[in-house]
Amino acid sequence: MNIAFLGLGAIGRPMAARIAAAGMPLAVWNRTAERAASFARETGARHAHTPADAARGADVVITCLSTSHDVASLLDGPDGLMAGLRKGATLIDCTSGDPATSRRIAARLAEQGVGFIDAPVSGGTTGAEKGTLTVMVGGDAATLDRVRPVLQAFGQKIVHCGDVGAGDAVKAVNNAFLAIHVLATAEGLAALVKAGVDPALALDVINSSSGRSNTSMNLFPERVLSRAFPRTFRLALLEKDIGIAADMARDNRVPAPILQLAADLFRVARGELGETADHVEAVKMIEQWAGVEIA
Ligand code: NDP
């Protein structure tokens, strides 16, 4: 299968590298062209200069951009994806997207005989490098079966969640939990530090108790106590994800005050910390409010 990959960001790049390493013929496109050029130099992939150029001749086109709207913005015009996609091809959108926009994109592509699945991923940049991502798929089961070998280049657990948009929906809720865990763990540990308890000791206890989470087990020891705060997943993107989850709850008339509050807090954090901050840096906002450092 000929593959095209569009969007060589923090997670897209290592995902595309896994496809190149698996020996599949690969064309890459990135808005900031130098990123695609350096990837092509390193891996031997073809550097495509427009989305249409990338899609031309591809059986499978993978997008991994910030938002579903960014993906939709690549469809039209003489250089757009629609101009290059051939009938029978499949677009796999690995963006953590929003279900409604994914459904609109799928309908547009269907007019041209192109298949679509939403396939957001979880597992972080390290999981992408190792090929151990979880992939949450929305769309037609037969389409998924056809492209499964491509997803297996970077995904370990590949789950069909339902119709188009279902992968996005599950991903948004997963990330809402992540956002809530980051905030709640920061609040709890800030209180413990102020009460005179060593945060490393507290985490050790919590991590063998019922309040533990990936956030308490991995993110806090590796990124907060160490004050390392590596930038692997932008806070702005997590703010987008919890917003999608909160909107989905509202659209389905589910009272969700915790989701709404966490979405609001992440909106404030995005405003205070900016577009390049990592998601775990939301902890710094709680620390500032509490007047204490969790270290
Ligand atoms: P980055 O911010 O690192 O990269 C974003 C990518 O999208 C870049 O290639 C950027 O191009 C491109 N892009 C953004 N807007 C547009 C646009 N309007 N037109 C064309 N290209 C555009 O994000 P990540 O790689 O971290 O995330 C990508 C997706 O994966 C997001 O939906 C995110 O939520 C999700 N995700 C990220 C994880 C992570 O650990 N980082 C984990 C799981 C999911 P350019 O280089 O020109 O800026």
Side-chain angles (χ1 to χ4, degrees):
M1 273 194 272
N2 285 312
I3 318 292
F5 200 106
L6 289 77
L8 302 171
I11 197 143
R13 191 177 211 285
M15 287 164 68
R18 298 279 316 177
I19 292 171
M24 300 179 200
L26 178 66
V28 290
W29 176 85
N30 194 69
R31 179 179 60 180
T32 305
E34 179 43 35
R35 291 197 178 136
S38 73
F39 181 91
R41 278 194 299 275
E42 282 168 36
T43 63
R46 177 171 74 85
H47 177 194
H49 293 278
T50 64
D53 177 26
R56 222 159 267 133
D59 303 294
V60 171
V61 174
I62 302 175
T63 43
C64 190
L65 308 182
S66 301
T67 69
S68 292
H69 291 289
D70 296 322
V71 178
S73 77
L74 296 190
L75 293 181
D76 295 312
D79 292 336
L81 274 173
M82 300 295 273
L85 278 163
R86 61 163 186 76
K87 194 169 179 226
T90 303
L91 178 68
I92 303 177
D93 186 18
C94 291
T95 305
S96 300
D98 71 88
T101 309
S102 284
R103 284 192 287 269
R104 275 199 297 279
I105 294 171
R108 282 288 316 282
L109 294 170
E111 289 165 14
Q112 201 164 306
V114 175
F116 176 89
I117 58 174
D118 47 303
V121 300
S122 184
T125 52
T126 316
E129 282 156 21
K130 292 190 191 147
T132 57
L133 293 174
T134 298
V135 189
M136 307 156 216
V137 179
D140 176 51
T143 308
L144 167 59
D145 283 343
R146 210 164 47 240
V147 301
R148 194 179 283 273
V150 182
L151 298 176
Q152 281 167 338
F154 49 76
Q156 194 168 47
K157 186 177 174 89
I158 299 164
V159 182
H160 185 219
C161 299
D163 294 338
V164 169
D168 290 336
V170 175
K171 173 67 186 175
V173 171
N174 175 76
N175 277 25
F177 294 166
L178 166 62
I180 289 165
H181 288 155
V182 168
L183 293 173
T185 310
E187 289 179 1
L189 285 175
L192 284 169
V193 170
K194 281 194 128 175
V197 179
D198 173 10
L201 178 144
L203 278 170
D204 185 41
V205 174
I206 290 162
N207 287 338
S208 16
S209 305
S210 49
R212 69 182 180 271
S213 63
N214 179 58
T215 299
S216 68
M217 294 177 80
N218 296 307
L219 297 181
F220 269 63
E222 290 165 15
R223 299 174 176 221
V224 179
L225 295 188
S226 65
R227 310 311 287 172
F229 292 106
R231 292 186 161 175
T232 61
F233 174 42
R234 291 191 297 120
L235 188 153
L237 294 173
L238 186 55
E239 188 270 326
K240 171 251 314 176
D241 294 333
I242 190 165
I244 294 169
D247 288 350
M248 192 174 67
R250 192 200 54 216
D251 293 348
N252 287 288
R253 298 185 182 284
V254 173
I258 294 174
L259 289 183
Q260 302 291 350
L261 177 59
D264 284 347
L265 288 169
F266 261 83
R267 202 164 305 125
V268 173
R270 183 174 179 172
E272 285 194 6
L273 295 157
E275 293 300 300
T276 55
D278 184 73
H279 66 301
V280 180
E281 291 182 71
V283 171
K284 293 179 182 171
M285 182 178 80
I286 306 293
E287 288 179 328
Q288 204 197 337
W289 291 350
V292 75
E293 211 171 74
I294 301 166

